[in-house]
């Protein structure tokens, strides 16, 4: 169990290179199972979730090898195993993303049923219903989703999703890539990571159109050939560093990023009083010497404000002038960082899915606990702004989504270090 020790209070200043997007990389790694020829995936972030995905691909019989620290070669040509075991799915819910590719390629899959997690119950009914509409027969047995395709090959279908789901859209898009005939997915998620997956599938020989709109059309092909693909930059990592610049009243330029994927967040940052400048592949945020105002916002599917940036902007609001309401509409239990922020002197009250944040003049360091990946990002941002020392416990959450976080923050002038502790988790 690692801890991050942060001595806050100094403005961040400098430039930071953004890594590849975890949430684009995970479905793209699953998509490698569809290809009969080897694929090379570039710009993979060095994260625990990526390592777990590689372990999963290998458990499914694919051969994986690193060409460099961020480029993975996957050969699933002779991959013939169809069981995604509990030990890996329990580490990472996104393992469910192999269900569509396995069914499309082999007509059979057994994937451990993902449980709930800290941020809510997170069902997978939309994934299963869509696959059933494409001809799969699914039962839950012994904690596993056991799926077969009696006809041998999935068939195209017209699928309307009643809830916008990123993961279900991805799973069904991958399944439809190798199905017979045309699949139309209505009310599809529009996230940039969906577009990245569609671009990747098309680069490997699929026929997907409409990505980025709410209607996806996929014409199934007999096989995917393989090829090379570069994962998009991580928009949430980008937003996290910009939020850290705000909370510390500093200036940060994020490079190797894509400003077009972060519009809703940048609008809120400007509304709060930060100066934001963008170039083709960089964003700079300057809040030096500025008084920032707390801003209201509501999370919703893309292109609206992302739930994955909610805790970071809550931390910024906690240090701003005035008060603001935050509505979380995607996950049931995603305001958990509020209690920990209050231990640092923040004034946040939570009722249901809404948080009222009253800004305070100064947060103070305290020992705090990360409950999930994005909640921990909010705590780190608050710690960077706070006076004195903060110890953030359960850093394994943050390591799932942020590559070399302490190194990157040190490069911006933060006083942050990592401590290895032997103590086991206490819950
Ligand atoms: C993905 C992201 C996660 C992000 C989330 C929302 C990855 C690996 N993770 O998660 O970081 O916070 O999108 O932008 O890309 N739902 C159902 N039934 C289903 C599936 C989902 O009811 O079958 C509900 C969920 O409970 C949730 C909502 O739909 O309330 C959105 O979830 P979804 O978009 O599926 O999130 P993930 O793909 O799990």
């Amino acid at each position: 169990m690692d801890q991050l020790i942060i001595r806050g209070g100094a403005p961040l200043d400098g430039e930071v290179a953004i890594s590849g997007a975890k949430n684009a990389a995970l479905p793209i790694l699953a998509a490698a199972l569809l290809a009969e020829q080897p694929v090379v995936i570039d710009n993979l972030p060095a994260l625990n979730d990526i390592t777990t995905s590689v372990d999963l691909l290998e458990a499914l019989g694919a051969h994986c090898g690193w060409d460099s620290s961020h480029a993975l070669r996957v050969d699933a040509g002779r991959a013939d195993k169809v069981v995604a075991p509990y030990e890996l799915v329990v580490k990472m819910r996104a393992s469910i993303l192999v269900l569509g590719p396995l069914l499309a390629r082999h007509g059979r899959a057994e994937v451990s049923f993902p449980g709930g997690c800290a941020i809510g119950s997170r069902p997978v009914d939309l994934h299963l219903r869509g696959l059933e509409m494409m001809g799969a027969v699914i039962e839950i047995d012994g904690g596993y989703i056991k799926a077969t395709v009696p006809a041998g090959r999935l068939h195209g279908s017209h699928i309307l999703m009643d809830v916008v789901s990123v993961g279900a859209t991805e799973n069904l898009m991958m399944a439809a890539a190798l199905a017979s005939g045309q699949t139309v997915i209505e009310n599809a998620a529009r996230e940039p990571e969906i577009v990245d997956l569609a671009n990747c599938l098309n680069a490997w020989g699929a026929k997907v159109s409409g990505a980025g709109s709410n209607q996806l059309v996929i014409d199934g092909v007999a096989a995917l050939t393989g090829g090379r693909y570069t994962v998009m930059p991580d928009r949430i990592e980008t937003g996290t560093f910009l939020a850290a610049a705000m909370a510390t009243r500093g200036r940060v330029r994020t490079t190797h990023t894509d400003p077009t994927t972060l519009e809703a967040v940048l609008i809120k940052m400007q509304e709060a009083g930060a100066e934001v400048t963008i170039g083709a592949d960089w964003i700079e945020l300057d809040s030096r010497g500025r008084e920032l105002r707390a801003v209201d916002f509501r999370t919703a599917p893309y292109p609206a404000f992302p739930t994955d940036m909610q805790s970071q902007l809550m931390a910024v609001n906690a240090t701003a002038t005035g008060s603001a309401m935050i509505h979380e509409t995607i996950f049931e239990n995603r305001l958990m960082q509020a209690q920990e922020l209050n231990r640092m002197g923040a004034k946040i009250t939570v009722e249901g899915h809404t948080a009222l944040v009253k800004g305070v003049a100064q947060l103070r360091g305290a020992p705090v606990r990360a409950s999930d990946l994005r909640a921990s990002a909010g705590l780190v941002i608050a710690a960077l702004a706070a006076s004195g020392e903060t110890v953030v416990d359960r850093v394994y959450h943050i390591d799932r989504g942020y590559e070399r976080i302490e190194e990157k923050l040190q490069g911006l002038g933060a006083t942050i270090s990592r401590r290895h502790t032997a103590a086991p988790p206490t819950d």
Side-chain angles (χ1 to χ4, degrees):
M1 286 273 286
D2 287 3
Q3 296 175 326
L4 286 177
I5 322 295
I6 299 167
R7 193 155 269 288
L12 295 187
D13 192 7
E15 199 170 286
V16 60
I18 297 304
S19 299
K22 169 181 88 77
N23 285 355
L26 298 179
I28 286 172
L29 285 165
L33 291 170
L34 292 165
E36 286 178 10
Q37 313 283 324
V39 300
V40 178
I41 306 168
D42 281 313
N43 202 30
L44 285 172
L47 299 171
N48 292 347
D49 275 10
I50 299 299
T51 319
T52 304
S53 291
V54 174
D55 291 346
L56 180 55
L57 292 180
E58 286 181 333
L60 293 168
H63 293 286
C64 301
W66 291 96
D67 278 5
S68 70
S69 57
H70 293 85
L72 182 76
R73 181 176 296 271
V74 184
D75 183 354
R78 283 193 292 275
D80 56 358
K81 304 203 171 54
V82 294
V83 181
Y86 174 77
E87 304 79 67
L88 292 175
V89 179
V90 79
K91 275 195 193 171
M92 185 185 71
R93 295 189 89 262
S95 308
I96 185 74
L97 292 173
V98 299
L99 181 60
L102 287 177
L103 271 185
R105 181 97 189 278
H106 305 292
R108 218 159 64 78
E110 294 186 20
V111 177
S112 176
F113 200 103
C117 65
I119 62 176
S121 60
R122 298 181 84 176
V124 292
D125 55 313
L126 296 165
H127 302 238
L128 304 188
R129 207 179 314 142
L131 292 168
E132 282 171 343
M133 291 181 74
M134 296 170 76
V137 172
I138 297 177
E139 59 165 355
I140 310 298
D141 182 26
Y144 276 74
I145 300 164
K146 296 189 174 170
T148 52
V149 184
R153 186 178 179 194
L154 293 170
H155 57 74
S157 184
H158 188 266
I159 301 168
L160 169 69
M161 304 226 268
D162 54 1
V163 174
V164 178
S165 161
V166 174
T169 303
E170 291 165 346
N171 229 337
L172 300 179
M173 189 200 311
M174 291 188 280
L178 291 188
S180 62
Q182 188 175 75
T183 299
V184 178
I185 305 175
E186 306 277 5
N187 203 22
R190 300 169 57 189
E191 269 65 5
E193 292 77 13
I194 302 276
V195 178
D196 212 37
L197 175 62
N199 288 342
C200 168
L201 289 171
N202 287 341
W204 295 348
K207 290 193 176 144
V208 181
S209 58
S213 77
N214 58 8
Q215 189 195 59
L216 279 177
V217 179
I218 305 119
D219 288 299
V221 296
L224 290 198
T225 48
R228 209 174 175 112
Y229 193 75
T230 301
V231 173
M232 65 176 276
D234 197 312
R235 64 192 168 106
I236 305 302
E237 188 196 16
T238 306
T240 301
F241 280 107
L242 298 177
M246 283 182 89
T248 61
R249 304 301 186 269
R251 182 198 64 94
V252 167
R253 178 180 287 218
T254 53
T255 64
H256 302 80
T257 190
D258 180 355
T260 63
T261 59
L262 213 66
E263 235 180 303
V265 172
L266 298 181
I267 287 171
K268 284 294 158 189
M269 290 176 160
Q270 284 168 316
E271 192 183 319
E275 185 183 317
V276 176
T277 319
I278 60 174
D281 64 353
W282 55 266
I283 307 174
E284 180 169 308
L285 183 142
D286 194 347
S287 59
R288 287 172 300 182
R290 286 169 182 257
E291 182 180 323
L292 299 183
R293 297 174 295 279
V295 283
D296 297 331
F297 65 96
R298 161 187 289 270
T299 66
Y302 193 83
F305 193 94
T307 175
D308 285 354
M309 275 301 298
Q310 178 258 106
S311 94
Q312 299 88 320
L313 225 65
M314 177 186 282
V316 172
N317 273 344
T319 68
T321 305
S323 53
M325 299 282 268
I326 300 174
H327 294 281
E328 169 59 51
T329 76
I330 306 288
F331 292 114
E332 323 156 358
N333 206 7
R334 221 185 196 182
L335 295 165
M336 279 184 299
Q337 73 280 5
Q339 288 307 329
E340 298 298 296
L341 291 173
N342 285 347
R343 303 191 67 251
M344 301 175 71
K347 289 211 165 90
I348 307 171
T349 46
V350 174
E351 220 175 293
H353 293 156
T354 302
L356 173 65
V357 187
K358 288 188 184 154
V360 297
Q362 181 68 61
L363 295 175
R364 295 179 305 277
V368 290
R369 256 184 190 185
S371 55
D372 67 73
L373 166 57
R374 302 305 170 185
S376 32
L379 296 179
V380 168
I381 289 171
L384 291 167
S387 61
E389 185 178 279
T390 297
V391 178
V392 184
D393 209 356
R394 304 187 178 192
V395 170
Y396 57 87
H397 288 298
I398 209 160
D399 290 336
R400 293 189 44 213
Y402 293 90
E403 179 175 332
R404 297 181 292 109
I405 180 127
E406 68 270 36
E407 246 177 77
K408 288 193 183 187
L409 284 169
Q410 282 160 2
L412 298 171
T415 308
I416 177 170
S417 58
R418 182 179 287 257
R419 182 158 68 201
H420 299 283
T421 62
T426 50
D427 68 359

